[in-house]
Amino acid sequence: MPTASPALVIGSIGIDRVATPFAEADNLLGGAASYAAIAASYFAPTRLVGVVGADFPSAFLRRYRKHGLDLAGLQIDPHGKTFAWSGKYREHFEGRDTLEIQLNVFQNFSPVLPAAYRDSPYVMLGAIQPSLQHHVLDQLPRGRRRPFVLADTFDLWIHTTKPDLLRLLQRIDLFVINEDESLLLTGERNLVLAGRHLRQLGPRIVVIKKGAHGSLLFHPNGYFSMSAYPVTKFVDPTGAGDSYAGALIGCLAAANRTDFASLKRAVAYATAVSSLTVESFSVNRLSTAGRATIDRRYRELVAMTQL
Amino acid sequence: MPTASPALVIGSIGIDRVATPFAEADNLLGGAASYAAIAASYFAPTRLVGVVGADFPSAFLRRYRKHGLDLAGLQIDPHGKTFAWSGKYREHFEGRDTLEIQLNVFQNFSPVLPAAYRDSPYVMLGAIQPSLQHHVLDQLPRGRRRPFVLADTFDLWIHTTKPDLLRLLQRIDLFVINEDESLLLTGERNLVLAGRHLRQLGPRIVVIKKGAHGSLLFHPNGYFSMSAYPVTKFVDPTGAGDSYAGALIGCLAAANRTDFASLKRAVAYATAVSSLTVESFSVNRLSTAGRATIDRRYRELVAMTQL
């Protein structure tokens, strides 16, 4: 898509080991930035910012390149090991437990944007700690040339660095958060009230992800509710939310618009993309599905939700 | 609506006491048939079959008459007391416990259809025990003049009289069931698979209710996913599913059609109607809202789900 604006994705990159109630796998390409950047790449030229160690498999780099990712912002630390995460999903996928985290090179990660990235008009800040998200924003233009910024978060930051997170909300355009976290952060008991509350905290647009129950969009011009794609071959939810957010920023970059209609379309595409992610471990299904499969799921979603 | 076909609703009628985490109330008009018949009455002339005792308040009868319900099928037992139910919702409305049940006149209830009801082209069998649902079907015409039959159920019958329930599924057209019950009855782990599985057990059409997460329609001509209406004044979920099913049968009777497009529209109207039910105890909000409010919520639902 030569006319699309570029999207910048920043976040964690890791090597995962995942156990579900039905299967397990290790040495998986993981991390929010991996899922998000590959998802975004289906829609717009995508720039990746992150850090890996000397052990990062060349197959994973090839996977990035297959999607045409711009890797000028990928730091490779020759003296360190890649961030590693191991998690296990509970029965019925009701929550998951982290079994092991090795921060490794991620411990001292300070994201530096290559000069050529600073004009990125669409930016996704993955769910890294809010101080790092602020650090990225500090490197981007302000005023008229400021980019459209999407940020994601997760419950750890709500518990440990809430003031930083609240300050971040005043600097971004689109906040993506999951159901439970939206209630935790706002203290509301109801997702509709939580969405409205979050908009009052700063971001013009809010998306609440409800997993298998779809997602809700709160935009200045209205409210939109999107059903989930009916997945029947559910394998592993890891990265679903990250690929959702990545598809969102990619779609908006491709359209170069953030009006209500464009956001609704982006939410439907993000739903289609994340439905692929959960059908395999790691980015495998997401990466091999191809744009035609995504477009077909988008059309199916339209058919199954339109009167 | 003078051209609408009549709808027949049969089910429990009770006097409820309800406690939520935030409030409680007693001497409430309750029972699946009360909610369903009032909901149906917004769309089609509605016939009510049920039983009450001598203690049934005249204000409740006036409420029925206000909605134009045909009460020829309402048995009033002068020697008995009305079915009484008391329940308490757990924190965050995650499940509820029955504190007390007095079956009273319901114990020996044997639904008898007045002769004039036997031509009803649209019938809803509320979630009474399957043997009584069969008993009603035995009084209705077979063959070319057989009615369109919707049945609801609840988990007690899955646990205690599953063979009767499975036999019922082969005699009905539309099965309405909630999320957890659909998984319990089919043994599936996934609602899409559960919906398909239920259709294989008999009913041509299946609707799975997901409460605050909307509902799913499985029809021979396709799958449809409807979001919930974004309720912000949530008071009491009692009767939401019953009024959903009642609105469904009422809408179908009004349209006198059961094609995919009519079912989708009926599902959207049922969503609008049940969103009113949860905004008060008992049928209060449902009964006072009026058709114009239902139409407005329907239009809002369309707006918030259409791309």
Side-chain angles (χ1 to χ4, degrees):
Chain A
M1 251 169 294
T3 61
S5 302
L8 170 63
V9 171
I10 169 156
S12 60
I13 296 172
I15 299 178
D16 289 354
R17 173 196 294 264
V18 177
T20 75
F22 308 105
E24 56 180 282
D26 60 4
N27 281 311
L28 302 169
L29 174 55
S34 299
Y35 286 102
I38 290 173
S41 75
Y42 280 114
F43 305 95
T46 302
R47 300 163 169 176
L48 177 63
V49 173
V51 62
V52 299
D55 60 336
F56 195 65
S58 56
F60 292 175
L61 290 171
R62 282 199 300 277
R63 179 78 80 167
Y64 287 159
R65 289 200 189 95
K66 179 198 146 201
H67 287 276
L69 300 186
D70 180 336
L71 302 179
L74 179 65
Q75 302 172 30
I76 303 184
D77 180 339
H79 307 297
K81 285 184 69 183
T82 304
F83 171 66
W85 176 80
S86 166
K88 184 180 167 105
Y89 288 87
R90 296 183 204 140
E91 217 186 341
H92 308 300
F93 291 98
E94 283 165 355
R96 76 174 181 205
D97 300 300
T98 291
L99 302 181
E100 194 179 2
I101 285 189
Q102 297 174 20
L103 287 176
N104 298 333
V105 295
F106 203 64
Q107 187 139 32
N108 300 307
F109 179 47
S110 177
V112 178
L113 301 190
Y117 280 18
R118 295 187 186 174
D119 67 347
S120 304
Y122 291 86
V123 174
M124 167 176 164
L125 306 175
I128 51 178
Q129 67 191 81
S131 62
L132 294 183
Q133 293 174 314
H134 280 289
H135 182 61
V136 173
L137 289 182
D138 292 341
Q139 299 171 58
L140 291 164
R142 320 222 171 168
R144 245 176 1 96
R145 290 184 50 250
R146 73 180 285 280
F148 179 91
V149 179
L150 176 162
D152 193 357
T153 195
F154 80 113
D155 56 0
L156 178 64
W157 311 129
I158 299 173
H159 288 298
T160 60
T161 64
K162 191 166 168 181
D164 276 1
L165 178 59
L166 290 176
R167 207 163 46 80
L168 182 82
L169 292 185
Q170 299 180 347
R171 301 183 71 187
I172 65 170
D173 303 278
L174 166 54
F175 188 44
V176 177
I177 187 167
N178 82 25
E179 185 169 12
D180 291 344
E181 289 157 0
S182 75
L183 301 178
L184 176 67
L185 180 54
T186 62
E188 301 284 358
R189 292 192 308 257
N190 175 295
L191 296 181
V192 179
L193 299 177
R196 291 184 193 158
H197 189 143
L198 288 170
R199 286 195 62 234
Q200 285 165 2
L201 295 176
R204 199 162 57 87
I205 309 168
V206 168
V207 170
I208 299 181
K209 296 171 292 180
K210 304 190 294 172
H213 294 299
S215 50
L216 305 177
L217 165 66
F218 301 82
H219 186 278
N221 294 118
Y223 167 85
F224 181 66
S225 174
M226 185 74 215
S227 296
Y229 182 88
V231 169
T232 53
K233 293 183 305 182
F234 191 88
V235 173
D236 173 16
T238 308
D242 305 313
S243 57
Y244 181 104
L248 215 50
I249 202 72
C251 267
L252 296 175
N256 198 18
R257 297 174 64 97
T258 62
D259 59 293
F260 192 32
S262 301
L263 255 301
K264 290 198 274 189
R265 243 189 330 267
V267 159
Y269 266 111
T271 301
V273 166
S274 59
S275 77
L276 292 164
T277 302
V278 304
E279 292 186 349
S280 75
F281 283 108
S282 185
V283 299
N284 296 335
R285 178 84 171 109
L286 171 66
S287 171
T288 55
R291 177 67 192 252
T293 301
I294 293 169
D295 287 340
R296 190 168 61 244
R297 291 209 170 181
Y298 174 86
R299 288 192 303 271
E300 287 174 0
L301 276 167
V302 171
M304 72 183 59
T305 56
Q306 306 299 289
L307 283 161
Chain B
M1 247 170 299
T3 60
S5 303
L8 170 63
V9 170
I10 170 155
S12 60
I13 296 173
I15 299 178
D16 289 354
R17 173 197 292 266
V18 177
T20 74
F22 308 106
E24 57 181 278
D26 60 4
N27 280 311
L28 302 169
L29 174 56
S34 300
Y35 286 102
I38 290 173
S41 75
Y42 280 114
F43 305 96
T46 302
R47 300 162 170 177
L48 176 63
V49 173
V51 63
V52 298
D55 60 335
F56 195 65
S58 57
F60 292 176
L61 289 172
R62 282 198 302 276
R63 178 79 81 170
Y64 285 159
R65 288 201 190 94
K66 179 198 146 204
H67 287 276
L69 300 186
D70 181 336
L71 302 179
L74 179 65
Q75 303 170 30
I76 303 185
D77 181 340
H79 308 297
K81 286 184 68 184
T82 304
F83 171 67
W85 176 80
S86 168
K88 184 180 167 104
Y89 288 88
R90 296 182 204 140
E91 217 187 343
H92 308 299
F93 291 97
E94 283 167 355
R96 78 175 178 204
D97 300 301
T98 291
L99 303 181
E100 194 181 359
I101 286 189
Q102 297 173 19
L103 286 177
N104 298 332
V105 296
F106 203 65
Q107 187 140 29
N108 300 307
F109 179 47
S110 178
V112 177
L113 301 192
Y117 280 18
R118 296 191 185 170
D119 68 346
S120 304
Y122 290 87
V123 174
M124 168 176 164
L125 306 174
I128 52 178
Q129 69 191 81
S131 62
L132 294 183
Q133 293 175 315
H134 280 289
H135 182 60
V136 173
L137 290 182
D138 292 341
Q139 299 170 58
L140 291 165
R142 320 227 170 163
R144 244 176 1 96
R145 291 182 50 248
R146 74 180 284 280
F148 179 91
V149 179
L150 176 163
D152 194 358
T153 196
F154 80 113
D155 56 0
L156 178 63
W157 312 129
I158 300 173
H159 288 300
T160 61
T161 64
K162 190 166 169 181
D164 276 0
L165 178 59
L166 291 175
R167 207 162 47 81
L168 183 81
L169 292 184
Q170 299 182 347
R171 301 183 71 187
I172 64 169
D173 303 278
L174 166 54
F175 188 44
V176 176
I177 187 168
N178 82 24
E179 185 169 11
D180 291 344
E181 289 156 359
S182 75
L183 301 177
L184 176 67
L185 180 54
T186 62
E188 301 285 357
R189 291 193 308 258
N190 174 295
L191 296 181
V192 179
L193 299 177
R196 291 182 193 160
H197 189 143
L198 288 171
R199 285 194 64 234
Q200 286 165 1
L201 295 177
R204 198 161 57 88
I205 310 167
V206 168
V207 170
I208 298 180
K209 296 171 292 180
K210 303 190 293 173
H213 295 299
S215 50
L216 306 176
L217 164 66
F218 301 82
H219 187 278
N221 294 118
Y223 168 85
F224 180 66
S225 175
M226 185 74 216
S227 296
Y229 181 89
V231 169
T232 52
K233 293 183 306 184
F234 191 88
V235 174
D236 173 16
T238 307
D242 304 313
S243 57
Y244 180 104
L248 214 48
I249 202 71
C251 267
L252 296 175
N256 198 18
R257 297 173 65 98
T258 62
D259 58 294
F260 192 32
S262 301
L263 256 300
K264 289 197 276 189
R265 243 188 333 264
V267 159
Y269 266 111
T271 301
V273 167
S274 59
S275 77
L276 293 164
T277 301
V278 304
E279 292 186 350
S280 75
F281 283 107
S282 184
V283 298
N284 296 334
R285 177 83 172 109
L286 171 66
S287 170
T288 55
R291 177 67 193 253
T293 301
I294 293 170
D295 287 341
R296 189 168 62 245
R297 291 209 171 181
Y298 174 85
R299 288 194 302 271
E300 287 174 1
L301 274 167
V302 171
M304 73 184 56
T305 56
Q306 306 299 289
L307 282 161

